Amino acid sequence: METRSVTGLVIREKRVSEADRLVWILTDEVGVIKAFVPNALKINSKFLSATQLLSYSKLYIKPTKDETFRISDAKPINVFFGLRKDVRALALCGYMCELIATLAPKGEEAHEFLGVALNSAHLLSENIADFRLIKAVFELKFCCLAGYMPDISGCVICGETESDSFTFNCNDGIIYCGECDGGGRKISKSVLMAMRHIVESDRKRAFAFSLGDQSLDSLCAVCEEFVISQTERHYKTLDFYKEL
Ligand SMILES: [Zn+2]
């Protein structure tokens, strides 16, 4: 097959020999792929920076065996320099990369997944939004894109949409009003409004809202619990981020 060009974000790297590296990339056109970077020690520095972890690059790839690709050339588009100076931002990106590997498609287009990942990396790199907000939007948007869309329009029993407080059931992705409480995590109306905003907005507007400090803590906790519950797995990178 012919060499083709894709754009993508490097989400994981592994050294396989003295000179060769294997990288995992979230691409626009073929989702998450695994690719060899040949002779990593001999190639020029532009190629090297384009294929390092958390670089967003234009990549020329050719399929080899076992659904793996070989990168013949690469040019960096954005290396998110700011991320590399902030250990907390880097740790949060590590967790996001693990979510990408878990939730993003393989072999299919992934424009929206990549868009959300790039918006998040940009906000973290420039340090222009609260980390809790970025993390919550990323988690909830990724769940929605992967098919785990919560039904938060109204109480699942009586249909109430405007109660002062609700409970969110993370296993089923549904809400109960205060009257019909069916168990789950208590959330205020403002947290519910923020969740609706994230679910309903396009990926750029999804990050554009503000919440009080306590509500942001609550939003952060509920989105985290939702993604863990939906994907049924433990994220070591999340433990690491929270330890910092
Ligand atoms: Zn109800």
Side-chain angles (χ1 to χ4, degrees):
M1 272 172 87
E2 290 301 302
T3 298
R4 64 188 292 186
S5 75
V6 293
T7 59
L9 180 72
V10 180
I11 59 166
R12 192 183 155 200
E13 61 181 344
K14 187 180 169 190
R15 190 167 288 283
V16 287
S17 71
E18 186 63 26
D20 294 337
R21 279 182 308 139
L22 194 55
V23 291
W24 283 256
I25 306 159
L26 171 62
T27 70
D28 52 355
E29 286 183 24
V30 278
V32 175
I33 60 165
K34 195 161 70 169
F36 274 104
V37 183
N39 286 320
L41 296 176
K42 291 179 189 161
I43 58 183
N44 66 52
S45 63
K46 211 173 190 183
F47 195 128
L48 207 59
S49 77
T51 55
Q52 70 180 335
L53 190 62
L54 298 171
S55 282
Y56 172 53
S57 309
K58 180 159 189 159
L59 305 142
Y60 295 86
I61 57 169
K62 192 174 182 173
T64 59
K65 56 181 168 45
D66 304 330
E67 295 175 351
T68 306
F69 292 81
R70 179 167 287 267
I71 301 175
S72 58
D73 197 7
K75 293 181 177 69
I77 299 169
N78 189 341
V79 298
F80 299 110
F81 188 65
L83 291 178
R84 301 166 204 282
K85 297 183 293 185
D86 182 343
V87 67
R88 277 190 76 240
L90 216 46
L92 183 49
C93 280
Y95 167 54
M96 289 175 176
C97 286
E98 200 176 352
L99 284 181
I100 291 168
T102 307
L103 287 167
K106 292 164 186 75
E108 295 168 31
E109 70 86 14
H111 286 95
E112 282 300 310
F113 288 91
L114 181 60
V116 173
L118 293 175
N119 284 350
S120 303
H122 168 73
L123 291 170
L124 285 169
S125 181
E126 301 295 317
N127 198 14
I128 45 179
D130 192 298
F131 282 20
R132 291 170 293 179
L133 187 151
I134 300 168
K135 174 174 168 289
V137 174
F138 186 94
E139 289 168 329
L140 196 47
K141 267 286 183 233
F142 257 65
C143 280
C144 293
L145 290 172
Y148 306 111
M149 174 89 78
D151 181 5
I152 51 179
S153 54
C155 170
V156 69
I157 307 234
C158 72
E160 171 65 52
T161 58
E162 301 298 321
S163 171
D164 282 339
S165 77
F166 286 87
T167 14
F168 180 65
N169 181 311
C170 283
N171 291 323
D172 300 325
I174 52 175
I175 52 169
Y176 299 98
C177 72
E179 297 289 310
C180 309
D181 192 357
R185 181 183 278 272
K186 276 233 172 332
I187 52 171
S188 67
K189 195 173 168 184
S190 59
V191 170
L192 179 63
M193 301 282 277
M195 290 174 76
R196 284 178 181 157
H197 170 83
I198 297 166
V199 169
E200 290 161 10
S201 305
D202 66 44
R203 64 169 186 262
K204 277 188 180 153
R205 279 194 352 109
F207 293 92
F209 66 94
S210 55
L211 267 184
D213 203 47
Q214 250 185 338
S215 294
L216 208 45
D217 275 339
S218 169
L219 177 73
C220 194
V222 76
C223 291
E224 181 182 306
E225 195 181 328
F226 183 58
V227 76
I228 288 171
S229 168
Q230 295 301 310
T231 54
E232 295 180 314
R233 55 163 292 178
H234 181 86
Y235 297 91
K236 277 187 184 167
T237 49
L238 177 61
D239 296 338
F240 178 66
Y241 170 66
K242 288 165 114 177
E243 279 167 15
L244 292 174

